[in-house]
Amino acid sequence: MTPNSSGLPGLNQVREIVGALLTFGLVACVAALVIAAVVWGLGSNSGNPHLAGRGKSGVVVAAGAAMLIGAANAIVTFFSNAGSLV
């Protein structure tokens, strides 16, 4: 049994919605990265190591989230193919 891409009505609209969600997620990651970088800079310049550390963590989390969003299609395809071999 293989996935049927024409069996559900409205499948094209769902694909468009998911594509829009991916775009929204990437835009949110860019905003989070900018905010975290500003917090990191403010923390470093003000001598506040806690704030600088939170900014560094925010940069790493935003970059990791962007990487996962960008790789979402490949990740799902990989596991779908791996699951079909079981």
Side-chain angles (χ1 to χ4, degrees):
M1 182 179 288
T2 59
N4 183 355
S5 62
S6 62
L8 290 174
L11 190 58
N12 287 331
Q13 287 79 13
V14 171
R15 286 183 181 154
E16 288 182 27
I17 291 170
V18 171
L21 288 173
L22 288 171
T23 303
F24 179 76
L26 288 175
V27 170
C29 286
V30 170
L33 185 73
V34 170
I35 292 169
V38 168
V39 169
W40 185 1
L42 288 174
S44 294
N45 286 333
S46 67
N48 188 342
H50 177 71
L51 195 61
R54 299 291 277 181
K56 287 178 193 178
S57 298
V59 167
V60 171
V61 167
M67 186 172 61
L68 284 173
I69 291 170
N73 194 23
I75 292 169
V76 170
T77 301
F78 171 78
F79 283 109
S80 175
N81 290 338
S84 68
L85 297 175
V86 175

